[in-house]
């Protein structure tokens, strides 16, 4: 879906599809260099990270294994509930593996802080984070991603996997959702 199809749902477009692809390509080159000669397992956080994981992995100039987890700290609103739940766990044993968690956004940091600790307790060689977006003003938990596409303001954004009530995920761009949509 193109942002032109949304009429007044977006306040503005933060990043176009082209900008997103370019940035993911840059991140993939850095990841490939950092993990050269290492057994890399990319762990995508469902559902939002599907677009990021797909495009980031395709931009990698090397083989990598992928697995998925579904965790949530959101209820039905636009703010974190503060409670993390596992909805789908990994199918892969991560003992001795270099794990790269791939997510679309770091908001409060609660979910990813919990996930890093949880995966770290399973005996991996390393656990790092790659995220397309980070909201530094919203962070309430210490989370240090190794790879960040962009820092953004503390606004409600949608597109490229980011949703509001499961809508807007298929938007090619990332934009700020107009308050009248979620108020």
């Amino acid at each position: 879906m193109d942002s032109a199809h949304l009429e007044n749902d977006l306040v503005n477009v933060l990043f176009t599809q082209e900008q997103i692809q370019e940035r993911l390509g840059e991140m993939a080159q850095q990841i490939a260099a950092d993990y050269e000669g290492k057994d890399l397992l990319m762990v995508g956080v469902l559902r939002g990270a599907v677009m990021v994981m797909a495009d980031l992995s395709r931009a990698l100039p090397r083989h990598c294994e992928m697995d998925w987890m579904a965790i949530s700290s959101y209820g039905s609103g636009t703010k974190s509930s503060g409670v993390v739940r596992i909805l789908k766990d990994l199918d892969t044993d991560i003992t001795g593996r270099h794990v790269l968690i791939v997510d679309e956004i770091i908001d409060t940091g609660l979910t990813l802080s919990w996930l890093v600790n949880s995966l770290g307790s399973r005996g991996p060689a390393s656990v790092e984070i790659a995220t397309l977006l980070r909201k530094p003003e919203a962070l309430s938990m210490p989370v240090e991603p190794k790879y960040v596409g962009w820092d953004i303001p503390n606004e409600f954004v949608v597109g490229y996997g980011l949703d509001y009530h499961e809508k807007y995920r298929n938007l090619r761009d990332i934009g700020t959702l107009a308050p009248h949509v979620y108020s």
Side-chain angles (χ1 to χ4, degrees):
M1 176 170 49
D2 190 90
S3 55
H5 297 116
L6 294 179
E7 298 183 15
N8 297 323
D9 286 6
L10 297 180
V11 173
N12 63 338
V13 172
L14 295 173
F15 306 104
T16 65
Q17 178 180 11
E18 293 78 18
Q19 290 171 311
I20 294 166
Q21 295 306 313
E22 182 178 337
R23 184 65 186 118
L24 287 175
E26 294 166 357
M27 291 170 65
Q29 291 302 315
Q30 186 61 53
I31 290 166
D34 291 348
Y35 287 93
E36 186 174 341
K38 295 180 180 174
D39 184 20
L40 176 62
L41 172 66
M42 294 174 65
V43 174
V45 181
L46 291 170
R47 284 185 282 248
V50 168
M51 309 296 189
V52 176
M53 180 87 143
D55 289 343
L56 182 62
S57 65
R58 284 192 296 242
L60 278 174
R62 59 160 291 166
H63 294 291
C64 70
E65 194 175 331
M66 292 184 262
D67 201 347
W68 298 91
M69 285 189 80
I71 54 178
S72 177
S73 66
Y74 284 84
S76 60
T78 60
K79 302 278 187 210
S80 175
S81 67
V83 177
V84 177
R85 298 181 306 137
I86 294 179
L87 307 175
K88 184 224 174 283
D89 206 345
L90 294 175
D91 295 322
T92 307
D93 179 7
I94 65 171
T95 304
R97 305 286 304 270
H98 293 278
V99 176
L100 180 62
I101 300 167
V102 178
D103 207 356
E104 80 282 13
I105 191 166
I106 297 176
D107 199 330
T108 63
L110 173 70
T111 304
L112 279 175
S113 174
W114 180 89
L115 183 56
V116 167
N117 288 332
S118 176
L119 294 181
S121 71
R122 300 180 189 189
S126 67
V127 177
E128 299 289 351
I129 300 168
T131 185
L132 184 60
L133 304 173
R134 174 177 57 184
K135 295 181 181 178
E137 296 169 19
L139 283 173
S140 62
M141 294 294 289
V143 176
E144 295 295 328
K146 188 167 185 175
Y147 311 97
V148 178
W150 294 284
D151 284 333
I152 63 169
N154 190 14
E155 298 172 342
F156 196 79
V157 293
V158 294
Y160 198 71
L162 296 152
D163 76 300
Y164 175 66
H165 289 301
E166 296 302 321
K167 295 180 182 172
Y168 306 99
R169 284 194 198 278
N170 62 327
L171 175 62
R172 291 183 193 102
D173 303 325
I174 295 173
T176 304
L177 191 62
H180 73 81
V181 175
Y182 58 87
S183 297

PDB file of all heavy atoms in Angstrom, residues 23-55:
ATOM      1  N   ARG A  23      18.917   2.097   3.864  1.00  0.00           N
ATOM      2  CA  ARG A  23      19.442   1.977   5.237  1.00  0.00           C
ATOM      3  C   ARG A  23      19.616   0.517   5.631  1.00  0.00           C
ATOM      4  O   ARG A  23      20.612   0.156   6.268  1.00  0.00           O
ATOM      5  CB  ARG A  23      18.523   2.710   6.227  1.00  0.00           C
ATOM      6  CG  ARG A  23      19.054   2.720   7.636  1.00  0.00           C
ATOM      7  CD  ARG A  23      20.356   3.525   7.737  1.00  0.00           C
ATOM      8  NE  ARG A  23      20.917   3.413   9.067  1.00  0.00           N
ATOM      9  CZ  ARG A  23      22.113   2.884   9.337  1.00  0.00           C
ATOM     10  NH1 ARG A  23      22.910   2.483   8.363  1.00  0.00           N
ATOM     11  NH2 ARG A  23      22.534   2.792  10.567  1.00  0.00           N
ATOM     12  N   LEU A  24      18.670  -0.346   5.278  1.00  0.00           N
ATOM     13  CA  LEU A  24      18.807  -1.772   5.589  1.00  0.00           C
ATOM     14  C   LEU A  24      20.001  -2.375   4.858  1.00  0.00           C
ATOM     15  O   LEU A  24      20.693  -3.235   5.409  1.00  0.00           O
ATOM     16  CB  LEU A  24      17.526  -2.529   5.233  1.00  0.00           C
ATOM     17  CG  LEU A  24      16.347  -2.287   6.168  1.00  0.00           C
ATOM     18  CD1 LEU A  24      15.109  -2.992   5.636  1.00  0.00           C
ATOM     19  CD2 LEU A  24      16.651  -2.727   7.592  1.00  0.00           C
ATOM     20  N   GLY A  25      20.279  -1.920   3.664  1.00  0.00           N
ATOM     21  CA  GLY A  25      21.463  -2.381   2.932  1.00  0.00           C
ATOM     22  C   GLY A  25      22.745  -2.008   3.654  1.00  0.00           C
ATOM     23  O   GLY A  25      23.680  -2.815   3.744  1.00  0.00           O
ATOM     24  N   GLU A  26      22.793  -0.793   4.190  1.00  0.00           N
ATOM     25  CA  GLU A  26      23.965  -0.354   4.961  1.00  0.00           C
ATOM     26  C   GLU A  26      24.119  -1.184   6.231  1.00  0.00           C
ATOM     27  O   GLU A  26      25.235  -1.604   6.581  1.00  0.00           O
ATOM     28  CB  GLU A  26      23.823   1.125   5.320  1.00  0.00           C
ATOM     29  CG  GLU A  26      23.865   2.059   4.139  1.00  0.00           C
ATOM     30  CD  GLU A  26      23.397   3.475   4.454  1.00  0.00           C
ATOM     31  OE1 GLU A  26      22.970   3.747   5.608  1.00  0.00           O
ATOM     32  OE2 GLU A  26      23.453   4.323   3.549  1.00  0.00           O
ATOM     33  N   MET A  27      23.003  -1.428   6.906  1.00  0.00           N
ATOM     34  CA  MET A  27      23.051  -2.242   8.125  1.00  0.00           C
ATOM     35  C   MET A  27      23.510  -3.665   7.807  1.00  0.00           C
ATOM     36  O   MET A  27      24.304  -4.254   8.548  1.00  0.00           O
ATOM     37  CB  MET A  27      21.675  -2.252   8.813  1.00  0.00           C
ATOM     38  CG  MET A  27      21.286  -0.917   9.415  1.00  0.00           C
ATOM     39  SD  MET A  27      19.554  -0.854   9.970  1.00  0.00           S
ATOM     40  CE  MET A  27      19.557  -2.057  11.307  1.00  0.00           C
ATOM     41  N   ALA A  28      23.036  -4.228   6.699  1.00  0.00           N
ATOM     42  CA  ALA A  28      23.404  -5.591   6.304  1.00  0.00           C
ATOM     43  C   ALA A  28      24.902  -5.704   6.046  1.00  0.00           C
ATOM     44  O   ALA A  28      25.532  -6.710   6.416  1.00  0.00           O
ATOM     45  CB  ALA A  28      22.617  -6.013   5.063  1.00  0.00           C
ATOM     46  N   GLN A  29      25.493  -4.696   5.436  1.00  0.00           N
ATOM     47  CA  GLN A  29      26.936  -4.719   5.181  1.00  0.00           C
ATOM     48  C   GLN A  29      27.714  -4.727   6.502  1.00  0.00           C
ATOM     49  O   GLN A  29      28.699  -5.453   6.641  1.00  0.00           O
ATOM     50  CB  GLN A  29      27.346  -3.519   4.317  1.00  0.00           C
ATOM     51  CG  GLN A  29      26.825  -3.595   2.896  1.00  0.00           C
ATOM     52  CD  GLN A  29      27.277  -4.848   2.170  1.00  0.00           C
ATOM     53  OE1 GLN A  29      28.427  -5.247   2.214  1.00  0.00           O
ATOM     54  NE2 GLN A  29      26.332  -5.495   1.495  1.00  0.00           N
ATOM     55  N   GLN A  30      27.272  -3.932   7.469  1.00  0.00           N
ATOM     56  CA  GLN A  30      27.935  -3.891   8.774  1.00  0.00           C
ATOM     57  C   GLN A  30      27.779  -5.216   9.516  1.00  0.00           C
ATOM     58  O   GLN A  30      28.718  -5.732  10.113  1.00  0.00           O
ATOM     59  CB  GLN A  30      27.393  -2.735   9.614  1.00  0.00           C
ATOM     60  CG  GLN A  30      28.136  -2.545  10.922  1.00  0.00           C
ATOM     61  CD  GLN A  30      29.605  -2.219  10.723  1.00  0.00           C
ATOM     62  OE1 GLN A  30      29.940  -1.300   9.991  1.00  0.00           O
ATOM     63  NE2 GLN A  30      30.489  -2.974  11.362  1.00  0.00           N
ATOM     64  N   ILE A  31      26.568  -5.768   9.464  1.00  0.00           N
ATOM     65  CA  ILE A  31      26.309  -7.058  10.114  1.00  0.00           C
ATOM     66  C   ILE A  31      27.189  -8.144   9.492  1.00  0.00           C
ATOM     67  O   ILE A  31      27.798  -8.955  10.201  1.00  0.00           O
ATOM     68  CB  ILE A  31      24.809  -7.422  10.016  1.00  0.00           C
ATOM     69  CG1 ILE A  31      23.988  -6.480  10.910  1.00  0.00           C
ATOM     70  CG2 ILE A  31      24.568  -8.882  10.385  1.00  0.00           C
ATOM     71  CD1 ILE A  31      22.498  -6.508  10.644  1.00  0.00           C
ATOM     72  N   ALA A  32      27.264  -8.167   8.174  1.00  0.00           N
ATOM     73  CA  ALA A  32      28.086  -9.174   7.486  1.00  0.00           C
ATOM     74  C   ALA A  32      29.547  -9.061   7.916  1.00  0.00           C
ATOM     75  O   ALA A  32      30.205 -10.077   8.168  1.00  0.00           O
ATOM     76  CB  ALA A  32      27.955  -9.018   5.976  1.00  0.00           C
ATOM     77  N   ALA A  33      30.044  -7.845   8.028  1.00  0.00           N
ATOM     78  CA  ALA A  33      31.440  -7.652   8.452  1.00  0.00           C
ATOM     79  C   ALA A  33      31.639  -8.087   9.899  1.00  0.00           C
ATOM     80  O   ALA A  33      32.611  -8.767  10.230  1.00  0.00           O
ATOM     81  CB  ALA A  33      31.838  -6.187   8.284  1.00  0.00           C
ATOM     82  N   ASP A  34      30.706  -7.723  10.768  1.00  0.00           N
ATOM     83  CA  ASP A  34      30.832  -8.039  12.194  1.00  0.00           C
ATOM     84  C   ASP A  34      30.705  -9.532  12.492  1.00  0.00           C
ATOM     85  O   ASP A  34      31.277 -10.024  13.460  1.00  0.00           O
ATOM     86  CB  ASP A  34      29.779  -7.276  13.009  1.00  0.00           C
ATOM     87  CG  ASP A  34      30.032  -5.781  13.047  1.00  0.00           C
ATOM     88  OD1 ASP A  34      31.122  -5.330  12.638  1.00  0.00           O
ATOM     89  OD2 ASP A  34      29.124  -5.045  13.483  1.00  0.00           O
ATOM     90  N   TYR A  35      29.941 -10.244  11.674  1.00  0.00           N
ATOM     91  CA  TYR A  35      29.701 -11.668  11.928  1.00  0.00           C
ATOM     92  C   TYR A  35      30.452 -12.573  10.946  1.00  0.00           C
ATOM     93  O   TYR A  35      30.145 -13.760  10.852  1.00  0.00           O
ATOM     94  CB  TYR A  35      28.201 -11.976  11.892  1.00  0.00           C
ATOM     95  CG  TYR A  35      27.479 -11.455  13.113  1.00  0.00           C
ATOM     96  CD1 TYR A  35      26.886 -10.206  13.102  1.00  0.00           C
ATOM     97  CD2 TYR A  35      27.408 -12.207  14.279  1.00  0.00           C
ATOM     98  CE1 TYR A  35      26.229  -9.702  14.219  1.00  0.00           C
ATOM     99  CE2 TYR A  35      26.758 -11.727  15.402  1.00  0.00           C
ATOM    100  CZ  TYR A  35      26.175 -10.467  15.362  1.00  0.00           C
ATOM    101  OH  TYR A  35      25.528  -9.990  16.478  1.00  0.00           O
ATOM    102  N   GLU A  36      31.438 -12.031  10.278  1.00  0.00           N
ATOM    103  CA  GLU A  36      32.206 -12.845   9.334  1.00  0.00           C
ATOM    104  C   GLU A  36      32.824 -14.041  10.060  1.00  0.00           C
ATOM    105  O   GLU A  36      33.447 -13.893  11.112  1.00  0.00           O
ATOM    106  CB  GLU A  36      33.307 -12.005   8.679  1.00  0.00           C
ATOM    107  CG  GLU A  36      34.036 -12.760   7.592  1.00  0.00           C
ATOM    108  CD  GLU A  36      35.025 -11.883   6.846  1.00  0.00           C
ATOM    109  OE1 GLU A  36      34.912 -10.648   6.914  1.00  0.00           O
ATOM    110  OE2 GLU A  36      35.911 -12.466   6.200  1.00  0.00           O
ATOM    111  N   GLY A  37      32.602 -15.224   9.513  1.00  0.00           N
ATOM    112  CA  GLY A  37      33.153 -16.443  10.091  1.00  0.00           C
ATOM    113  C   GLY A  37      32.407 -16.950  11.312  1.00  0.00           C
ATOM    114  O   GLY A  37      32.836 -17.912  11.937  1.00  0.00           O
ATOM    115  N   LYS A  38      31.286 -16.318  11.664  1.00  0.00           N
ATOM    116  CA  LYS A  38      30.515 -16.724  12.845  1.00  0.00           C
ATOM    117  C   LYS A  38      29.191 -17.332  12.420  1.00  0.00           C
ATOM    118  O   LYS A  38      28.643 -17.001  11.369  1.00  0.00           O
ATOM    119  CB  LYS A  38      30.265 -15.522  13.760  1.00  0.00           C
ATOM    120  CG  LYS A  38      31.540 -14.959  14.349  1.00  0.00           C
ATOM    121  CD  LYS A  38      31.253 -13.776  15.241  1.00  0.00           C
ATOM    122  CE  LYS A  38      32.550 -13.224  15.813  1.00  0.00           C
ATOM    123  NZ  LYS A  38      32.318 -12.000  16.572  1.00  0.00           N
ATOM    124  N   ASP A  39      28.681 -18.206  13.276  1.00  0.00           N
ATOM    125  CA  ASP A  39      27.405 -18.883  13.050  1.00  0.00           C
ATOM    126  C   ASP A  39      26.275 -17.946  13.477  1.00  0.00           C
ATOM    127  O   ASP A  39      25.941 -17.862  14.653  1.00  0.00           O
ATOM    128  CB  ASP A  39      27.390 -20.182  13.858  1.00  0.00           C
ATOM    129  CG  ASP A  39      26.148 -21.009  13.616  1.00  0.00           C
ATOM    130  OD1 ASP A  39      25.476 -20.815  12.586  1.00  0.00           O
ATOM    131  OD2 ASP A  39      25.840 -21.850  14.481  1.00  0.00           O
ATOM    132  N   LEU A  40      25.687 -17.231  12.514  1.00  0.00           N
ATOM    133  CA  LEU A  40      24.675 -16.212  12.805  1.00  0.00           C
ATOM    134  C   LEU A  40      23.269 -16.786  12.732  1.00  0.00           C
ATOM    135  O   LEU A  40      22.904 -17.436  11.751  1.00  0.00           O
ATOM    136  CB  LEU A  40      24.803 -15.048  11.814  1.00  0.00           C
ATOM    137  CG  LEU A  40      23.759 -13.937  11.910  1.00  0.00           C
ATOM    138  CD1 LEU A  40      23.824 -13.237  13.267  1.00  0.00           C
ATOM    139  CD2 LEU A  40      23.960 -12.930  10.776  1.00  0.00           C
ATOM    140  N   LEU A  41      22.496 -16.523  13.771  1.00  0.00           N
ATOM    141  CA  LEU A  41      21.073 -16.850  13.797  1.00  0.00           C
ATOM    142  C   LEU A  41      20.314 -15.543  13.994  1.00  0.00           C
ATOM    143  O   LEU A  41      20.473 -14.877  15.016  1.00  0.00           O
ATOM    144  CB  LEU A  41      20.732 -17.813  14.941  1.00  0.00           C
ATOM    145  CG  LEU A  41      19.232 -18.061  15.167  1.00  0.00           C
ATOM    146  CD1 LEU A  41      18.623 -18.799  13.972  1.00  0.00           C
ATOM    147  CD2 LEU A  41      19.005 -18.833  16.457  1.00  0.00           C
ATOM    148  N   MET A  42      19.518 -15.173  13.020  1.00  0.00           N
ATOM    149  CA  MET A  42      18.683 -13.978  13.137  1.00  0.00           C
ATOM    150  C   MET A  42      17.341 -14.395  13.713  1.00  0.00           C
ATOM    151  O   MET A  42      16.706 -15.319  13.211  1.00  0.00           O
ATOM    152  CB  MET A  42      18.507 -13.305  11.774  1.00  0.00           C
ATOM    153  CG  MET A  42      19.813 -12.743  11.234  1.00  0.00           C
ATOM    154  SD  MET A  42      19.683 -12.083   9.545  1.00  0.00           S
ATOM    155  CE  MET A  42      18.570 -10.720   9.780  1.00  0.00           C
ATOM    156  N   VAL A  43      16.920 -13.707  14.782  1.00  0.00           N
ATOM    157  CA  VAL A  43      15.648 -13.996  15.437  1.00  0.00           C
ATOM    158  C   VAL A  43      14.734 -12.803  15.242  1.00  0.00           C
ATOM    159  O   VAL A  43      14.976 -11.725  15.787  1.00  0.00           O
ATOM    160  CB  VAL A  43      15.846 -14.285  16.946  1.00  0.00           C
ATOM    161  CG1 VAL A  43      14.498 -14.433  17.643  1.00  0.00           C
ATOM    162  CG2 VAL A  43      16.698 -15.534  17.141  1.00  0.00           C
ATOM    163  N   GLY A  44      13.700 -12.986  14.449  1.00  0.00           N
ATOM    164  CA  GLY A  44      12.738 -11.926  14.192  1.00  0.00           C
ATOM    165  C   GLY A  44      11.654 -11.918  15.254  1.00  0.00           C
ATOM    166  O   GLY A  44      11.227 -12.973  15.727  1.00  0.00           O
ATOM    167  N   VAL A  45      11.237 -10.715  15.610  1.00  0.00           N
ATOM    168  CA  VAL A  45      10.172 -10.556  16.598  1.00  0.00           C
ATOM    169  C   VAL A  45       8.875 -10.315  15.831  1.00  0.00           C
ATOM    170  O   VAL A  45       8.696  -9.277  15.190  1.00  0.00           O
ATOM    171  CB  VAL A  45      10.478  -9.397  17.571  1.00  0.00           C
ATOM    172  CG1 VAL A  45       9.365  -9.274  18.611  1.00  0.00           C
ATOM    173  CG2 VAL A  45      11.817  -9.615  18.262  1.00  0.00           C
ATOM    174  N   LEU A  46       8.001 -11.313  15.891  1.00  0.00           N
ATOM    175  CA  LEU A  46       6.729 -11.238  15.170  1.00  0.00           C
ATOM    176  C   LEU A  46       5.779 -10.255  15.837  1.00  0.00           C
ATOM    177  O   LEU A  46       5.824 -10.071  17.038  1.00  0.00           O
ATOM    178  CB  LEU A  46       6.062 -12.611  15.130  1.00  0.00           C
ATOM    179  CG  LEU A  46       6.765 -13.661  14.269  1.00  0.00           C
ATOM    180  CD1 LEU A  46       6.142 -15.031  14.502  1.00  0.00           C
ATOM    181  CD2 LEU A  46       6.712 -13.304  12.805  1.00  0.00           C
ATOM    182  N   ARG A  47       4.918  -9.660  15.095  1.00  0.00           N
ATOM    183  CA  ARG A  47       4.686  -9.660  13.677  1.00  0.00           C
ATOM    184  C   ARG A  47       5.360  -8.475  13.018  1.00  0.00           C
ATOM    185  O   ARG A  47       5.629  -8.494  11.829  1.00  0.00           O
ATOM    186  CB  ARG A  47       3.191  -9.580  13.373  1.00  0.00           C
ATOM    187  CG  ARG A  47       2.470 -10.881  13.596  1.00  0.00           C
ATOM    188  CD  ARG A  47       1.021 -10.833  13.190  1.00  0.00           C
ATOM    189  NE  ARG A  47       0.227 -10.169  14.167  1.00  0.00           N
ATOM    190  CZ  ARG A  47      -0.694 -10.753  14.921  1.00  0.00           C
ATOM    191  NH1 ARG A  47      -0.963 -12.021  14.763  1.00  0.00           N
ATOM    192  NH2 ARG A  47      -1.342 -10.086  15.802  1.00  0.00           N
ATOM    193  N   GLY A  48       5.627  -7.464  13.777  1.00  0.00           N
ATOM    194  CA  GLY A  48       6.127  -6.226  13.203  1.00  0.00           C
ATOM    195  C   GLY A  48       7.420  -6.332  12.443  1.00  0.00           C
ATOM    196  O   GLY A  48       7.646  -5.617  11.477  1.00  0.00           O
ATOM    197  N   ALA A  49       8.305  -7.234  12.840  1.00  0.00           N
ATOM    198  CA  ALA A  49       9.631  -7.304  12.229  1.00  0.00           C
ATOM    199  C   ALA A  49       9.674  -8.095  10.929  1.00  0.00           C
ATOM    200  O   ALA A  49      10.734  -8.222  10.331  1.00  0.00           O
ATOM    201  CB  ALA A  49      10.634  -7.901  13.216  1.00  0.00           C
ATOM    202  N   VAL A  50       8.548  -8.592  10.461  1.00  0.00           N
ATOM    203  CA  VAL A  50       8.551  -9.422   9.249  1.00  0.00           C
ATOM    204  C   VAL A  50       9.178  -8.681   8.074  1.00  0.00           C
ATOM    205  O   VAL A  50      10.047  -9.218   7.380  1.00  0.00           O
ATOM    206  CB  VAL A  50       7.119  -9.893   8.900  1.00  0.00           C
ATOM    207  CG1 VAL A  50       7.060 -10.505   7.512  1.00  0.00           C
ATOM    208  CG2 VAL A  50       6.629 -10.887   9.939  1.00  0.00           C
ATOM    209  N   MET A  51       8.770  -7.448   7.833  1.00  0.00           N
ATOM    210  CA  MET A  51       9.296  -6.698   6.687  1.00  0.00           C
ATOM    211  C   MET A  51      10.794  -6.425   6.864  1.00  0.00           C
ATOM    212  O   MET A  51      11.578  -6.610   5.935  1.00  0.00           O
ATOM    213  CB  MET A  51       8.574  -5.364   6.517  1.00  0.00           C
ATOM    214  CG  MET A  51       7.076  -5.435   6.499  1.00  0.00           C
ATOM    215  SD  MET A  51       6.454  -6.356   5.114  1.00  0.00           S
ATOM    216  CE  MET A  51       4.712  -6.007   5.262  1.00  0.00           C
ATOM    217  N   VAL A  52      11.181  -5.993   8.064  1.00  0.00           N
ATOM    218  CA  VAL A  52      12.586  -5.680   8.339  1.00  0.00           C
ATOM    219  C   VAL A  52      13.439  -6.938   8.200  1.00  0.00           C
ATOM    220  O   VAL A  52      14.485  -6.912   7.547  1.00  0.00           O
ATOM    221  CB  VAL A  52      12.759  -5.061   9.745  1.00  0.00           C
ATOM    222  CG1 VAL A  52      14.226  -4.827  10.059  1.00  0.00           C
ATOM    223  CG2 VAL A  52      11.969  -3.772   9.872  1.00  0.00           C
ATOM    224  N   MET A  53      13.000  -8.018   8.789  1.00  0.00           N
ATOM    225  CA  MET A  53      13.756  -9.276   8.748  1.00  0.00           C
ATOM    226  C   MET A  53      13.909  -9.766   7.312  1.00  0.00           C
ATOM    227  O   MET A  53      15.008 -10.167   6.910  1.00  0.00           O
ATOM    228  CB  MET A  53      13.036 -10.326   9.594  1.00  0.00           C
ATOM    229  CG  MET A  53      13.728 -11.655   9.618  1.00  0.00           C
ATOM    230  SD  MET A  53      14.965 -11.741  10.887  1.00  0.00           S
ATOM    231  CE  MET A  53      14.757 -13.432  11.378  1.00  0.00           C
ATOM    232  N   ALA A  54      12.848  -9.718   6.553  1.00  0.00           N
ATOM    233  CA  ALA A  54      12.906 -10.196   5.169  1.00  0.00           C
ATOM    234  C   ALA A  54      13.893  -9.365   4.348  1.00  0.00           C
ATOM    235  O   ALA A  54      14.771  -9.916   3.675  1.00  0.00           O
ATOM    236  CB  ALA A  54      11.518 -10.156   4.538  1.00  0.00           C
ATOM    237  N   ASP A  55      13.760  -8.064   4.415  1.00  0.00           N
ATOM    238  CA  ASP A  55      14.612  -7.204   3.594  1.00  0.00           C
ATOM    239  C   ASP A  55      16.054  -7.150   4.101  1.00  0.00           C
ATOM    240  O   ASP A  55      16.989  -7.106   3.302  1.00  0.00           O
ATOM    241  CB  ASP A  55      14.015  -5.806   3.491  1.00  0.00           C
ATOM    242  CG  ASP A  55      12.757  -5.787   2.627  1.00  0.00           C
ATOM    243  OD1 ASP A  55      12.534  -6.758   1.865  1.00  0.00           O
ATOM    244  OD2 ASP A  55      11.994  -4.816   2.721  1.00  0.00           O
TER     245      ASP A  55
END
